[in-house]
Amino acid sequence: MLNLKFDERGLIPAICQDAESGEILMMAWMNTESLRLTQESSEAHFWSRSRGELWHKGATSGNFLRVRQILVDCDADTLLLKVDATGPACHTGAASCFFRKLDDHS
């Protein structure tokens, strides 16, 4: 495995992208354990900073992210997960977490 650069909390950002459409679905944080589980199961696992625990995407909602490929950026400090989503990626029910414009006041 490449020498990944985790931050001082032991985390690395993971951007999830639809493998077919190229749409960015979400961003979450991974630690070494969630990355290992993701690689072993081909389903996305993350580290929840708010709950302080591992999080298997879809375990509660049924909206899993099946991981086809994991890419590492040139600085080895960000991951890109190419995924197939079985439902909405966002907890709001939106397909992607990126549906609001910065200047949107609604």
Side-chain angles (χ1 to χ4, degrees):
M1 183 185 340
L2 291 171
N3 195 12
L4 297 176
K5 296 176 186 170
F6 292 85
D7 70 10
E8 64 281 350
R9 300 164 296 175
L11 301 175
I12 191 168
I15 300 166
C16 299
Q17 180 182 41
D18 185 282
E20 293 297 319
S21 71
E23 180 179 17
I24 300 299
L25 301 177
M26 62 177 284
M27 183 285 225
W29 296 92
M30 296 183 115
N31 61 12
T32 56
E33 180 69 3
S34 61
L35 180 55
R36 181 187 65 77
L37 289 168
T38 298
Q39 289 177 301
E40 288 177 0
S41 69
S42 295
E43 290 187 349
H45 290 73
F46 303 107
W47 177 256
S48 171
R49 295 174 303 155
S50 60
R51 294 189 309 267
E53 63 185 17
L54 288 171
W55 160 45
H56 180 191
K57 174 67 175 144
T60 303
S61 66
N63 300 325
F64 295 95
L65 296 177
R66 311 254 185 247
V67 179
R68 286 196 198 179
Q69 185 179 39
I70 301 174
L71 301 173
V72 180
D73 80 329
C74 58
D75 294 323
D77 63 0
T78 303
L79 302 176
L80 177 66
L81 281 62
K82 301 273 192 159
V83 302
D84 296 313
T86 62
C90 185
H91 73 281
T92 66
S96 168
C97 292
F98 297 97
F99 59 89
R100 299 183 299 170
K101 295 179 182 176
L102 182 60
D103 60 356
D104 189 355
H105 299 288
S106 54

